């Protein structure tokens, strides 16, 4: 066994790694989330000992006790981030420090131990470096999934005393099957994603599990994604099943729902900064579904788009609900959406100047 040692990590290269020619075939059409790289990072936490057993080794299953706390009380959080092949051939990540910060905010909300941000970043970078051959060419990327779960075997209702932090990776193509085309949305009438005081701002698996039935409902209506309204009045637009949402008005102003019950997306924050730099008036304010429909009908609303790490920036074309359907603009997106997408992806891939040091080269 070829065991190596870095400053903190024991490194065991995967002796059964996928051969380069087989990997090339897989990368021709990686899809999203269905192919995985050769390695994973694991770090363990024990109360009284802190973080220990830093390991970079072959990707393999966990062996869990049936009483493992995460299986019963869902103490689990995760992040989504990407590594890119730059125009000069080097590899970089986009604002990973923000992922580290948000990961610990989620940990705090779920009564889990924070992981030092430098350790989070080192863990992700270690995995990217050893599996850099899995980064697809062209517009593909390497999707990174850091996550943490309660691993203590205990059935009492309290925060666990033992945890496992892990990072896995998956080469990624387009998130939506249609690529860049405008997507369709279903407005959920019966389900909500979050409420004041809840876990909507935390990136925990339970939020996504709760959204699956609404997403399934959207699919039955022929829609790509579900959009949720607020839990209190069922009136205000909040976010999609796994993405934030923006509205582009006829005067160039851009509106997005305020934080509080929604996830503070890193792509969301980046889009807001880029739009302001381009001269747009960007406002975080409540926007009702009724107003959305009226503005689309009058032409006051010119474009709408969803954004997130996986979906990047994706135009919204059609909105469906029990009250009927409506189309935004020409149904295909618009110049503002495409311009912001081009700026964002250009910075991520090193083809557009990075004025604020968002790109972290490895």
């Amino acid at each position: 066994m070829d065991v190596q040692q870095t400053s903190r990590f024991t490194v065991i290269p995967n002796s059964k790694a996928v051969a380069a020619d087989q990997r090339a075939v897989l990368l021709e059409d990686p899809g999203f989330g269905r192919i995985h790289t050769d390695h994973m990072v694991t770090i363990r936490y024990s109360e009284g000992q802190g973080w220990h057993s830093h390991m970079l080794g072959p990707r393999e299953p966990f062996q869990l006790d049936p009483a493992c706390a995460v299986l019963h009380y869902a103490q689990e959080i995760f992040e989504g981030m990407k590594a890119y092949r730059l125009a000069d051939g080097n590899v970089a990540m986009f604002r990973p420090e923000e992922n580290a910060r948000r990961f610990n905010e989620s940990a705090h909300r779920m009564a889990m131990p924070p992981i030092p941000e430098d350790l989070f970043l080192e863990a992700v970078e270690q995995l990217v470096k050893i599996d850099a051959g899995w980064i697809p060419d062209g517009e593909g990327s390497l999707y990174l999934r850091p996550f943490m779960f309660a691993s203590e075997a205990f059935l009492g209702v309290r925060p666990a005393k033992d945890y496992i932090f892990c990072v896995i990776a998956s080469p990624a193509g387009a998130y939506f099957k249609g690529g860049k085309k405008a997507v369709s949305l279903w407005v959920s009438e019966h389900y909500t994603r979050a409420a004041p005081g809840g876990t909507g701002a935390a990136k925990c698996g339970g939020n996504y599990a709760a959204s699956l039935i609404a997403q399934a409902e959207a699919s039955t209506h022929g829609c790509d994604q579900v959009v949720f309204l607020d839990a209190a009045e069922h009136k205000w637009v909040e976010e999609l099943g796994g993405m934030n949402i923006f509205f582009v008005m006829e005067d160039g102003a851009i509106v997005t729902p305020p934080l509080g019950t929604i996830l503070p997306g890193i792509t969301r924050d980046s889009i807001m900064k880029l739009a302001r730099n381009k001269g747009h008036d960007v406002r975080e304010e409540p926007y009702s579904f009724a107003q959305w429909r009226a503005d689309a009908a009058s032409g006051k609303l010119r474009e709408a788009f969803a954004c997130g790490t996986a979906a990047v920036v994706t135009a919204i074309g059609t909105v469906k609900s029990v009250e009927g359907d409506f189309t935004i603009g020409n149904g295909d997106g618009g110049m503002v959406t495409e311009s912001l997408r081009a700026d964002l992806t250009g910075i991520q891939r090193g083809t557009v100047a990075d004025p604020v040091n968002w790109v972290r080269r490895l």
Side-chain angles (χ1 to χ4, degrees):
M1 183 180 294
D2 182 16
V3 180
Q4 305 166 21
Q5 191 72 38
T6 67
S7 58
R8 284 192 270 196
F9 286 84
T10 298
V11 181
I12 305 177
N14 190 341
S15 62
K16 298 180 180 179
V18 176
D21 57 341
Q22 294 177 294
R23 186 174 65 216
V25 172
L26 292 171
L27 292 180
E28 289 178 2
D29 182 23
F32 184 84
R34 58 184 177 86
I35 299 171
H36 302 282
T37 67
D38 297 305
H39 298 87
M40 63 191 284
V41 169
T42 55
I43 311 173
R44 295 178 180 269
Y45 178 92
S46 303
E47 188 176 86
Q49 185 178 359
W51 294 102
H52 62 90
S53 302
H54 308 64
M55 177 72 68
L56 171 60
R59 185 180 182 276
E60 59 187 7
F62 289 113
Q63 185 173 345
L64 300 178
D65 190 285
C68 183
V70 69
L71 302 178
H72 302 272
Y73 307 118
Q75 261 192 301
E76 183 272 348
I77 59 172
F78 66 95
E79 271 299 319
M81 51 201 301
K82 287 181 177 178
Y84 305 86
R85 184 80 62 187
L86 299 179
D88 60 11
N90 291 314
V91 175
M93 292 186 294
F94 182 73
R95 304 186 73 185
E97 301 86 357
E98 291 301 305
N99 293 98
R101 177 191 57 77
R102 188 173 66 179
F103 191 81
N104 281 336
E105 290 179 353
S106 296
H108 175 75
R109 177 61 183 86
M110 301 301 289
M112 303 170 78
I115 184 168
E117 292 185 9
D118 64 323
L119 180 56
F120 177 102
L121 294 171
E122 184 180 356
V124 173
E125 290 178 3
Q126 289 270 354
L127 183 60
V128 172
K129 288 176 181 177
I130 200 170
D131 280 342
W134 283 96
I135 303 176
D137 294 329
E139 294 189 2
S141 58
L142 187 64
Y143 184 80
L144 303 163
R145 174 53 61 87
F147 62 99
M148 176 173 33
F149 63 90
S151 57
E152 182 186 7
F154 180 73
L155 295 181
V157 183
R158 60 157 172 76
K161 296 182 179 180
D162 301 311
Y163 297 86
I164 295 176
F165 170 84
C166 181
V167 189
I168 57 175
S170 175
Y175 183 77
F176 292 109
K177 293 181 181 179
K180 295 182 183 178
K181 75 175 183 67
V183 296
S184 56
L185 303 184
W186 173 256
V187 181
S188 179
E189 181 184 19
H190 303 293
Y191 303 106
T192 55
R193 185 181 181 277
T199 59
K203 202 165 177 67
C204 60
N207 290 345
Y208 295 80
S211 73
L212 295 180
I213 189 170
Q215 180 60 44
E217 182 181 59
S219 296
T220 64
H221 289 277
C223 294
D224 299 296
Q225 268 282 323
V226 63
V227 59
F228 290 102
L229 305 180
D230 72 293
E233 299 179 75
H234 216 61
K235 169 182 177 181
W236 306 102
V237 178
E238 292 207 321
E239 60 185 338
L240 278 60
M243 287 156 272
N244 296 118
I245 188 168
F246 284 84
F247 306 94
V248 183
M249 302 301 174
E250 62 182 349
D251 61 357
I254 298 177
V255 175
T256 191
L259 297 180
T261 57
I262 68 173
L263 187 72
I266 294 165
T267 305
R268 173 187 182 274
D269 180 72
S270 303
I271 288 294
M272 291 170 62
K273 288 180 168 63
L274 288 173
R276 285 174 175 141
N277 287 342
K278 294 169 77 72
H280 293 278
D281 173 22
V282 181
R283 304 193 298 270
E284 297 178 83
E285 61 186 29
Y287 190 64
S288 71
F289 177 56
Q291 192 66 51
W292 185 4
R293 176 189 293 278
D295 289 346
S298 70
K300 181 179 180 181
L301 175 68
R302 295 297 176 85
E303 305 172 37
F305 61 87
C307 71
T309 299
V312 193
V313 175
T314 303
I316 298 168
T318 306
V319 181
K320 300 181 180 182
S321 75
V322 294
E323 299 176 14
D325 307 346
F326 62 89
T327 300
I328 299 168
N330 61 10
D332 293 325
M335 294 179 60
V336 173
T337 300
E338 191 54 39
S339 174
L340 289 170
R341 187 184 194 282
D343 286 352
L344 179 66
T345 56
I347 292 173
Q348 290 170 337
R349 298 180 184 280
T351 60
V352 172
D354 175 18
V356 284
N357 297 317
W358 280 345
V359 175
R360 184 182 179 100
R361 290 174 175 259
L362 305 187

